Amino acid sequence: MGNENEGGGATVRRLQLGAHLRALRLAAGLTRDQAGYSIRGSESKISRMELGRVSFKERDVTDLLKLYGVEDPAEHQRVLTMAREANAPSWWHAYADVLDTWFQNYLDLEQAAELIRTYEVQFVPGLLQTDAYARAVIRLGHDNATPGEIDRRAKLRMARQQVLDRSDGPRLWAVLDEAVLRRPIGGRAVLREQIEALIAACDSPNVRLQVMPFDSGGHAAAGGAFSILRFPHDKVPDVVYIEHLTSGLYLERREEVDHYAAAIGRLFIEADHPSRTPDFLRKLLAELESPG
C-alpha cells in the first residue's frame, strides 16, 4: 500500500493534531463556537478538525494557536509540520473514483486503529473476506456496476486487508452471527472458500474470531452490526461505526460509545469461546461439502 501507510501515516497525524488542538482549546477555556469564529468557520468545522476528519489549512492552525495563547515559535513550527503531514493523500487515494465519501473516513480510522471490535449479522467482515466473496458482496450492493468498477472495488477491499499484516497494525476481534456463515453469498463454492479462509485466520495472532450460534437465543447486540475502533494515541477517543445502505454513522459521545462497548463485551462472553471457532467452522465446511 505504500510507505505513507506505515504507522497509520497521515491518518495518525490528523488524529493527533486534532486531539492536540482540542486540548489547547479546553486549556484556554474556549468553546468550539468561539474557536470557529476566529478562523471564519463554524462550531462544526472545529469539531471535524478536532476529530481529525478534515484537512488542516495552515492559516487556520496558525490562527488557532494564537487564539489559544501558544507563543513559542518552535511549538508553532512543530504543529504546522504535523498539519502538513496530516494533509498528505491517504493510501486509498488511488481508489477515490469508486469510494463513497462517507466511507473514506472509515478507511482512515481503520488504518490508524490498534483494536477493531466488530459484530456482523449479514456478511463476513471486509478485512477477512476472500476476493470471490468480496466480489459477490459488492455485486449485491452495486447491481449496476460495470465489471471494471467491481474489479476496482474488490482490489480496494483486498488492499485494506494488508493492515492486519503490518507490524503496528490493529488487532481484529470479531463476533459473527451464525447466519453470516450459512448465507451462501456468491454460491456454495464461494462460501466454502470463505470458511476455509476464516479457519486459516483463526491462526493469525492479530485475529480473534467468535461465532454467535443460533441456539444462543437473544443476545446483547440484537439491534444490528457495528464496529468499535480504538486508537493508540493519547486523547483520541474510541469511535463506534455503524454502516447503513447509503451512509455511515460515527458515534463519539462517551455515553454512546460506552453503551456499545458494554454490548460487545457481553457478546464476547455469550458467543462461543474463540478456541471453539475452528471446529465450528470445520463442521459447517463438512456440511457444505456433503451432497444435497
Side-chain angles (χ1 to χ4, degrees):
M1 277 186 274
N3 292 333
E4 74 277 8
N5 195 36
E6 291 300 317
T11 305
V12 172
R13 282 288 182 257
R14 281 197 296 275
L15 292 169
Q16 290 177 321
L17 179 53
H20 184 59
L21 291 174
R22 180 177 185 273
L24 290 174
R25 177 179 61 76
L26 293 176
L30 296 170
T31 67
R32 286 192 292 259
D33 273 328
Q34 291 170 319
Y37 182 80
S38 75
I39 61 168
R40 303 150 299 280
S42 63
E43 182 272 344
S44 62
K45 179 178 180 178
I46 296 297
S47 178
R48 291 193 298 273
M49 290 176 68
E50 292 181 352
L51 292 170
R53 296 281 176 77
V54 292
S55 59
F56 294 85
K57 294 181 180 178
E58 292 189 25
R59 176 186 174 187
D60 290 344
V61 173
T62 297
D63 289 346
L64 288 175
L65 290 176
K66 291 178 180 177
L67 178 67
Y68 299 157
V70 178
E71 299 179 353
D72 182 4
E75 174 65 5
H76 271 251
Q77 191 56 49
R78 185 184 76 84
V79 175
L80 287 175
T81 297
M82 287 180 68
R84 295 184 193 107
E85 293 172 349
N87 289 336
S90 296
W91 71 269
W92 46 257
H93 184 72
Y95 296 95
D97 58 311
V98 293
L99 261 179
D100 295 311
T101 303
W102 54 267
F103 192 58
Q104 294 173 6
N105 283 335
Y106 180 79
L107 291 181
D108 278 341
L109 295 174
E110 183 177 77
Q111 295 294 316
E114 69 171 2
L115 172 64
I116 301 171
R117 292 168 288 173
T118 189
Y119 172 60
E120 286 289 347
V121 296
Q122 180 132 340
F123 303 119
V124 169
L127 289 177
L128 298 176
Q129 292 179 5
T130 64
D131 181 73
Y133 186 96
R135 289 171 185 270
V137 172
I138 291 165
R139 289 188 191 98
L140 286 174
H142 302 84
D143 53 357
N144 293 321
T146 65
E149 182 181 344
I150 290 172
D151 187 60
R152 294 271 293 153
R153 290 181 181 275
K155 286 181 177 178
L156 167 63
R157 194 159 302 184
M158 295 304 102
R160 280 173 59 195
Q161 297 179 2
Q162 296 179 36
V163 71
L164 294 178
D165 297 326
R166 265 187 10 216
S167 60
D168 64 341
R171 290 172 291 122
L172 176 65
W173 191 347
V175 177
L176 307 186
D177 191 274
E178 183 176 342
V180 171
L181 303 168
R182 291 192 176 276
R183 187 173 289 110
I185 303 294
R188 290 169 67 91
V190 170
L191 182 58
R192 282 198 299 270
E193 181 190 43
Q194 179 63 73
I195 291 177
E196 289 171 349
L198 291 176
I199 293 171
C202 290
D203 292 330
S204 170
N206 290 336
V207 177
R208 177 174 287 191
L209 190 60
Q210 293 180 257
V211 176
M212 181 64 70
F214 286 146
D215 60 16
S216 67
H219 52 77
F226 64 92
S227 297
I228 307 174
L229 297 93
R230 174 165 293 171
F231 307 95
H233 312 294
D234 292 343
K235 302 173 183 174
V236 178
D238 289 1
V239 174
V240 174
Y241 174 70
I242 303 170
E243 188 167 318
H244 301 304
L245 187 61
T246 58
S247 65
L249 177 65
Y250 299 87
L251 305 177
E252 283 116 349
R253 288 171 52 193
R254 181 65 179 270
E255 57 269 26
E256 292 176 323
V257 173
D258 287 350
H259 180 79
Y260 280 90
I264 206 162
R266 292 194 297 272
L267 278 177
F268 292 152
I269 295 170
E270 295 166 6
D272 281 353
H273 191 273
S275 63
R276 297 182 58 187
T277 301
D279 286 341
F280 190 100
L281 294 173
R282 290 189 190 101
K283 180 181 177 182
L284 289 178
L285 195 58
E287 292 177 14
L288 282 168
E289 290 173 344
S290 63

